[in-house]
């Protein structure tokens, strides 16, 4: 029997989902007639989901959809795409999915073989075969190797396997030489499915943070406790190693086994942006003395610091987004001599860094285009801040994303024939297929010109669309408060600026995540090269032109570092939405598109973004594709991992904070007599991060209000990504792209 929202709309008495007297100090909650849909796996709830899925599939899965899905799947399953590898010892490991292996192969090869057009792969684990044998839909989430004794090969690894694509993993010990799991009956590690992390302490001991076997979880649904697990033991009986308060986000424990620098660390993640790091000394945890919003990382003798806000130490203020270094032992001993390695400016931010054996690679963005600097710790500059000599890596064309990271910093250096100072470069752009390069860093011969880099292409992805027919431009819109907001536009050469181009606007704007240029065969085929020939549904003349794809770099993201992110936190969240609306208006004013031809798409926090476009700026858009979204911001902290995001959005239980949160809670902003854009809301049952509940409730409320052209689809597996294999990913992307095209192109 299908149950409707009306059957559950009335619950007697005041309570958590009904108006009435709020708990002392807690903000009252609006009526929620759809709270019944929060039972994720309830029979009636899944019946509602299946009914909506069928309705949506009837709309979207026409002849045009079938061809579109097949084209996307061809891209995802292409055997010509780059098989990215990671080096462990003498082997290069890869995880690969294609049409024949939808769940994937974990495999390895030698460097000499990898350089050929058809490497010889040694298959270690066939996940499809494992799933069939065990009757479980396993999704491979990576491998963590035990560092072997000097001179021995890497052999034992812990494989992370999710039963449904969610964030909870089962960790199982695997022997790569035997190509099999180590039998638990013989002492092999096999940890129950749970959220958490695992690290090798030694060959017979793990450090485990988990919520399995009765270990407590935090309010955010992550591990609260880390234990020391001996081979053959159980989590429930394992000695407690580290624990955090329940209202903190999670506990993590890890061991650094670098020879000569062996150390055990623990981190109390208070929230997404605050943490306290500890190092184990003589059986006791010693806190690394920094403010909680200063990120800390250790490498050999170095300790690196990246403050999220300006940090004043001993009279010197270091700006947010800077990178600083100190000697590890000196800092823990109380000496506070910091070396400034990077200082941000109005255009340049630090995105990530990676150590080779002798050098430090900095991945920067300069107005959202990549720049890479190589720092040499052995050569202080002699400047007042004591910085390290820096060399610019000549590998970054404009309007491209290029990232550098070490191949194997634990190997010998190039002088000894090792790969310790080798690095990977991954370069991509909206119309430039991804290229993998490998290089080596060396000191210059005479000691005067810094670092010499030798790098060359190893592999290149094929083109999946006629990328030469399109051009990439960067523009800047002006937001409501005067801030200049960059965005990328990918469009056919000679674009007609008549407002008639179907345009897809994408964004994220949260958690300091940057949206950078990236090649997508899916976007190329499903949007840029798509054509429409019949007359538009608005009665306009028939036309045949492809789509325009736009990526907005709004505040809340990390494109300009922590300050760009913090500008849209909590009570300032509206700035992210004002930025996105400003980009939409700029596209319209420039004649690229019009409200009739403009749609937006976003997932997760980006789903919240486009949910706010739907409810706050409906006049700017014809269509909204909203994926795995946050939408009910009154109850988000009680759903899945929502409590962990209070630092980003605020706490809706606090009356003062609910006052501003409700201004960007799409579920509570819906109004009668408003002409809303056509809406497609999609999610996954097994998403244990955001969860499917908020998407369900938003769709149910819109449908009950009689809002036309509202569609909902929920994949029954796939986790927060919405898909656990290429076939599911192709279907997910095809539905979103086909929905937008039908709405915008007519």
């Amino acid at each position: 029997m299908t149950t409707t929202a009306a059957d559950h709309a009335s619950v007697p008495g005041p309570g958590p989902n009904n108006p009435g007297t709020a708990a002392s100090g807690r903000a009252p909650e609006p009526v929620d007639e759809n709270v019944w849909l929060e039972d994720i796996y309830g029979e009636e709830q899944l019946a509602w989901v299946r009914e909506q899925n069928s309705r949506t599939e009837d709309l979207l899965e026409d002849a045009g959809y079938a061809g579109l899905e097949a084209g996307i799947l061809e891209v995802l399953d292409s055997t010509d795409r780059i098989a990215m590898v990671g080096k462990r010892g003498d082997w290069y490991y890869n995880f690969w999915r294609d049409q024949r292996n939808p769940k994937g192969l974990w495999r390895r090869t030698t460097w000499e073989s990898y350089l050929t057009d058809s490497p010889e792969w040694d298959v270690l684990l066939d996940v499809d075969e494992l799933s069939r044998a065990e009757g479980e839909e396993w999704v491979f989430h990576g491998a963590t190797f035990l560092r072997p004794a000097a001179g021995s090969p890497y052999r034992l690894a812990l494989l992370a396997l999710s039963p449904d694509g969610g964030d909870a993993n089962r960790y199982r010990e695997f022997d790569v030489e035997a190509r099999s799991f180590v039998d638990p009956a013989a002492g092999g590690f096999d940890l129950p499915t749970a959220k958490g992390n695992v690290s090798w302490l030694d060959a017979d001991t793990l450090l485990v943070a988990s919520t399995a076997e009765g270990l407590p979880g935090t309010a955010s649904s992550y591990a609260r406790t880390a234990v020391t697990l001996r081979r053959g033991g159980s989590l429930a009986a394992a000695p407690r190693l580290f624990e955090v308060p329940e209202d903190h986000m999670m506990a993590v424990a890890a061991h650094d086994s670098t020879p000569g620098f062996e150390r055990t660390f623990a981190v109390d993640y208070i929230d997404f942006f605050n943490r306290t790091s500890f190092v184990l000394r003589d059986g006791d945890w010693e806190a690394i003395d920094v403010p909680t919003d200063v990120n800390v990382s250790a490498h050999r003798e170095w300790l690196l610091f990246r403050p999220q806000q300006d940090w004043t130490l001993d009279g010197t203020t270091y700006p947010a987004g800077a990178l600083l270094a100190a000697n590890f032992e000196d800092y823990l001993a109380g000496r506070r001599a910091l070396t400034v390695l990077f200082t941000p400016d109005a255009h340049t931010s630090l995105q990530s860094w990676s150590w080779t054996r002798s050098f430090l690679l900095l991945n920067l963005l300069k107005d959202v285009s990549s720049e890479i600097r190589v720092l040499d710790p052995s050569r202080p500059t002699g400047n007042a801040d004591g910085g390290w000599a820096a060399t610019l890596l000549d590998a970054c064309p404009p309007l491209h994303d290029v990232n550098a990271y070490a191949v194997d910093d634990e190997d010998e250096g190039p002088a000894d024939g090792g790969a310790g100072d080798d690095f990977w470069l991954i370069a991509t752009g909206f119309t430039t297929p991804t290229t993998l390069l490998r290089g080596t860093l060396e000191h210059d011969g005479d000691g005067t010109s810094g670092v010499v880099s030798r790098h060359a292409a190893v592999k290149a992805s094929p083109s999946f669309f006629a990328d030469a027919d399109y051009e990439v431009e960067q523009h800047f819109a002006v937001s409501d408060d005067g801030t200049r907001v960059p965005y990328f536009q990918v469009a056919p050469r000679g674009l007609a600026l008549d407002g008639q181009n179907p345009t897809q606007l994408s964004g994220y704007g949260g958690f300091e995540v940057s949206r950078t240029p990236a090649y997508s065969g899916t976007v190329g085929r499903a949007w840029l090269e798509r054509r429409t020939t019949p007359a538009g549904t608005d009665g306009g003349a028939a036309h045949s032109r492809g789509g325009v794809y736009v990526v907005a770099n709004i505040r809340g993201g990390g494109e300009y570092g922590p300050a760009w992110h913090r500008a849209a936190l909590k009570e300032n969240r509206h700035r992210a939405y004002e930025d996105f609306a400003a980009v939409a208006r700029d596209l319209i004013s420039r004649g690229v598109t019009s409200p009739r031809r403009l749609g937006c798409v976003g997932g997760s926090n980006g789903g919240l973004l486009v949910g706010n476009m739907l409810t706050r700026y409906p006049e700017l858009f014809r269509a909204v594709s909203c994926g795995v979204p946050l939408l009910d911001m009154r109850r988000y902290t009680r759903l899945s991992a929502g409590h962990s995001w209070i630092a980003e959005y605020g706490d809706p239980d606090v009356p003062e904070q609910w006052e501003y949160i409700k201004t960007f809670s799409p579920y509570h902003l819906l109004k009668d007599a408003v002409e809303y854009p056509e809406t497609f809301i999609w999610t996954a049952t097994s998403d244990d991060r955001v969860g499917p509940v908020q998407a369900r409730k938003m769709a149910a409320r819109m449908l009950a209000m009689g809002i036309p052209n509202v569609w909902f689809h929920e994949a029954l597996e796939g986790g927060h990504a919405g898909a656990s294999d290429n076939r599911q990913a192709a279907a997910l992307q095809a539905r979103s792209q086909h929905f937008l095209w039908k709405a915008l192109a007519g």
Side-chain angles (χ1 to χ4, degrees):
M1 179 184 71
T2 299
T3 308
T4 66
D7 296 322
H8 296 264
S10 179
V11 180
N17 307 298
N18 298 280
T21 303
S24 176
R26 175 175 290 186
E29 295 196 35
V31 169
D32 187 352
E33 75 283 6
N34 296 309
V35 70
W36 70 282
L37 287 168
E38 292 184 4
D39 183 354
I40 294 176
Y41 293 99
E43 183 178 341
E44 294 180 353
Q45 291 77 6
L46 289 177
W48 181 90
V49 167
R50 292 187 182 96
E51 180 180 354
Q52 296 303 320
N53 283 357
S54 177
R55 175 176 169 268
T56 299
E57 290 163 7
D58 286 345
L59 169 76
L60 292 179
E61 296 185 8
D62 54 19
Y65 168 87
L68 182 65
E69 182 184 20
I72 294 173
L73 186 58
E74 184 181 14
V75 172
L76 299 179
D77 277 343
S78 169
T79 57
D80 293 332
R81 69 189 190 278
I82 299 174
M84 297 295 183
V85 292
K87 181 178 179 293
R88 287 292 181 273
D90 295 331
W91 292 93
Y92 290 78
Y93 290 80
N94 163 262
F95 184 71
W96 180 263
R97 291 191 181 111
D98 59 23
Q99 184 176 13
R100 294 181 58 188
N101 307 282
K103 292 192 176 298
L105 303 172
W106 188 45
R107 57 190 191 173
R108 64 183 183 179
T109 190
T110 63
W111 178 244
E112 292 74 16
S113 182
Y114 185 68
L115 289 173
T116 67
D117 292 336
S118 300
E120 294 182 6
W121 292 102
D122 175 16
V123 175
L124 302 171
L125 179 66
D126 183 329
V127 183
D128 294 272
E129 183 179 307
L130 178 69
S131 297
R132 285 190 293 270
E134 298 187 348
E136 191 76 69
E137 297 298 318
W138 292 118
V139 179
F140 186 83
H141 278 174
T144 302
F145 274 95
L146 168 70
R147 182 196 297 273
S152 299
Y154 281 81
R155 179 162 187 161
L156 296 179
L158 291 168
L159 304 193
L161 296 165
S162 168
D164 56 12
D167 290 345
N169 292 311
R170 178 178 168 188
Y171 289 93
R172 301 168 66 177
E173 188 176 8
F174 192 88
D175 185 329
V176 297
E177 297 305 321
R179 292 167 184 75
S180 64
F181 291 103
V182 181
D183 187 353
F189 289 113
D190 187 354
L191 308 185
T193 300
K195 290 185 178 182
N197 82 290
V198 178
S199 175
W200 291 94
L201 180 63
D202 57 44
D204 294 311
T205 315
L206 302 179
L207 306 181
V208 182
S210 178
T211 57
E213 295 188 7
L215 293 179
T218 65
S220 298
S221 78
Y222 296 106
R224 182 181 173 188
T225 301
V227 301
T228 304
L229 180 64
R230 307 291 180 187
R231 189 176 292 279
S234 69
L235 288 176
R240 301 291 178 97
L241 178 69
F242 182 72
E243 188 161 340
V244 303
E246 184 181 9
D247 61 348
H248 287 194
M249 189 171 117
M250 65 179 171
V252 169
H255 182 70
D256 181 355
S257 57
T258 304
F261 300 95
E262 295 87 350
R263 294 174 289 228
T264 296
F265 294 94
V267 183
D268 173 3
Y269 282 86
I270 302 168
D271 57 40
F272 245 90
F273 314 112
N274 290 275
R275 69 200 65 173
T276 303
S277 299
F278 301 83
V279 60
L280 194 61
R281 290 291 177 95
D282 299 322
D284 293 320
W285 291 110
E286 180 178 346
I288 298 175
D289 183 20
V290 296
T292 60
D293 61 357
V294 175
N295 295 343
V296 177
S297 67
H299 177 81
R300 298 181 183 268
E301 71 268 36
W302 298 108
L303 198 56
L304 297 187
F305 312 88
R306 183 178 185 262
Q308 296 291 304
Q309 300 186 76
D310 290 355
W311 177 25
T312 300
L313 179 67
D314 293 345
T316 300
T317 298
Y318 302 100
L323 187 66
L324 318 165
N327 178 274
F328 186 96
E329 295 297 337
D330 286 352
Y331 192 88
L332 263 65
R335 293 183 284 277
R336 295 294 183 260
L338 300 186
T339 299
V340 178
L341 305 182
F342 169 79
T343 302
D345 59 35
H347 299 277
T348 312
S349 67
L350 173 66
Q351 298 291 298
S352 64
W353 60 87
S354 179
W355 288 94
T356 70
R357 189 173 185 85
S358 309
F359 304 98
L360 179 61
L361 294 156
L362 303 186
N363 294 304
L364 312 176
L365 284 183
K366 194 163 196 171
D367 285 326
V368 208
S369 289
S370 287
E371 180 177 295
I372 299 172
R373 296 180 195 171
V374 184
L375 304 188
D376 184 353
S378 70
R379 296 185 180 181
T381 62
N383 296 337
D385 61 15
W388 299 344
T391 302
L392 199 64
L393 200 64
D394 183 16
C396 304
L399 306 187
H400 281 68
D401 182 58
V402 186
N403 282 278
Y405 59 97
V407 171
D408 183 359
D409 69 287
E410 298 169 2
D411 205 351
E412 296 294 332
D416 299 311
D421 283 323
D422 283 10
F423 64 98
W424 300 114
L425 280 174
I426 298 179
T428 185
F430 289 110
T431 59
T432 304
T434 301
T435 300
L436 174 68
L437 304 94
R438 181 169 176 166
T440 300
L441 300 172
E442 297 179 290
H443 291 106
D444 64 294
D446 58 8
T448 60
S449 58
V451 179
V452 175
S453 167
R454 298 180 287 105
H455 53 270
V458 176
K459 303 276 184 181
S461 290
S463 294
F464 289 105
F465 63 98
D467 38 68
D469 294 344
Y470 300 87
E471 60 183 346
V472 180
E473 298 175 349
Q474 187 180 49
H475 297 270
F476 289 80
V478 179
S479 196
D480 291 2
D481 64 355
T483 300
R484 296 178 76 240
V485 180
Y487 67 92
F488 294 104
Q489 174 185 301
V490 189
R493 297 185 183 278
L495 179 71
L497 298 177
D498 58 2
Q500 292 303 306
N501 301 291
T503 301
Q504 179 180 157
L505 174 58
S506 174
Y508 189 78
F511 297 94
E512 206 179 335
V513 173
S514 303
R515 290 293 305 275
T516 54
Y519 187 84
S520 171
T522 293
V523 169
R525 287 189 173 188
W527 193 256
L528 297 175
E529 291 192 332
R530 196 84 183 267
R531 294 292 182 268
T532 181
T533 52
T537 56
D538 59 356
H543 63 285
S544 178
R545 62 177 71 172
V548 174
Y549 180 66
V550 179
V551 174
N553 302 114
I554 62 177
R555 282 175 287 183
E559 289 86 348
Y560 291 100
W564 193 249
H565 168 237
R566 298 190 68 83
L569 281 183
K570 295 185 175 181
E571 68 272 17
N572 295 318
R573 198 77 199 168
H574 61 278
R575 290 176 178 166
Y577 309 137
E578 290 168 359
D579 290 359
F580 200 75
V583 173
R585 293 191 189 100
D586 200 58
L587 290 165
I588 293 167
S589 67
R590 291 177 45 237
V592 173
T593 192
S594 62
R596 165 67 185 84
R597 302 289 184 193
L598 179 59
C600 59
V601 60
S604 192
N605 173 75
L608 176 61
L609 164 67
V610 300
N612 273 276
M613 295 304 105
L614 170 74
T615 52
R616 292 163 58 106
Y617 302 95
E619 74 282 358
L620 293 178
F621 300 93
R622 174 61 178 259
V624 174
S625 177
C626 179
V628 288
L630 288 92
L631 294 167
D632 176 0
M633 299 305 290
R634 182 61 188 90
R635 290 179 57 77
Y636 86 92
T637 57
R638 302 175 214 173
L639 302 171
S640 299
H643 192 272
S644 63
W645 308 319
I646 287 176
E648 182 83 10
Y649 305 118
D651 187 346
D653 283 338
V654 178
E656 296 79 9
Q657 296 186 39
W658 172 239
E659 284 303 305
Y660 66 75
I661 294 172
K662 68 184 182 183
T663 68
F664 60 83
S665 180
Y667 188 57
H668 301 98
L669 294 178
L670 291 167
K671 299 177 182 177
D672 291 320
V674 174
E675 187 175 345
Y676 287 110
E678 297 185 30
T679 305
F680 178 38
I681 302 172
W682 46 273
T683 186
T685 309
S686 60
D687 178 5
D688 55 2
R689 194 176 310 169
V690 171
V693 167
Q694 302 187 58
R696 290 179 183 180
K697 296 202 299 182
M698 185 75 170
R701 179 167 285 183
M702 294 180 75
L703 290 166
M705 291 173 66
I707 298 171
N709 297 314
V710 176
W711 310 94
F712 174 88
H713 197 277
E714 181 174 318
L716 298 180
E717 57 186 24
H720 190 53
S724 58
D725 60 34
N726 291 345
R727 176 187 53 79
Q728 293 173 10
L732 180 153
Q733 294 180 44
R735 289 190 197 101
S736 177
Q737 296 289 348
H738 197 44
F739 162 78
L740 287 172
W741 190 259
K742 286 167 73 77
L744 303 181

